[in-house]
Amino acid sequence: MPINFDALLEQYRSLWNNRILATGEKNSEEIIRESIKRELLDENSHPRIRKGKYEKYYSATKRVADSNIAEEVKIQLIALHIEMMEELN
């Protein structure tokens, strides 16, 4: 089943109250993939307090799993986190 990245991005945004996801000339798929990559690399934190990517992966997937979004969306978001972790390794 194809992924509706526009809808997925809106659900992903709902997990982060105050985080702005830059759009620019990018489509929803590019935005969400880059956002997850930045999240896993902890680029939204000051360099001295950054955590490792495995710790960030755990906290990110836990945030998704514990959220109130639909189960299908949770699976898609966690699958994207897995895919991004594989790219980072």
Side-chain angles (χ1 to χ4, degrees):
M1 181 167 119
I3 296 174
N4 179 343
F5 282 99
D6 293 332
L8 193 61
L9 180 58
E10 287 307 310
Q11 293 298 307
Y12 182 73
R13 278 189 169 120
S14 74
L15 298 175
W16 301 100
N17 294 335
N18 297 317
R19 185 167 296 172
I20 297 171
L21 304 177
T23 54
E25 299 291 320
K26 299 175 182 166
N27 64 37
S28 295
E29 181 178 2
E30 292 170 319
I31 294 167
I32 196 167
R33 287 180 182 279
E34 286 180 13
S35 298
I36 290 172
K37 182 178 178 181
R38 278 195 318 271
E39 179 182 357
L40 294 173
L41 294 174
D42 206 11
E43 292 179 352
N44 298 317
S45 298
H46 189 279
R48 283 184 278 175
I49 61 170
R50 287 190 178 150
K51 297 176 180 158
K53 62 185 172 189
Y54 295 103
E55 188 174 356
K56 290 302 292 186
Y57 170 79
Y58 170 77
S59 62
T61 54
K62 182 165 178 28
R63 177 185 283 263
V64 170
D66 292 346
S67 72
N68 292 325
I69 58 179
E71 295 299 316
E72 180 180 326
V73 174
K74 288 180 184 183
I75 292 167
Q76 291 173 338
L77 285 172
I78 290 171
L80 277 174
H81 279 79
I82 292 168
E83 188 178 321
M84 296 312 297
M85 276 296 287
E86 288 173 347
E87 286 182 21
L88 293 173
N89 285 331

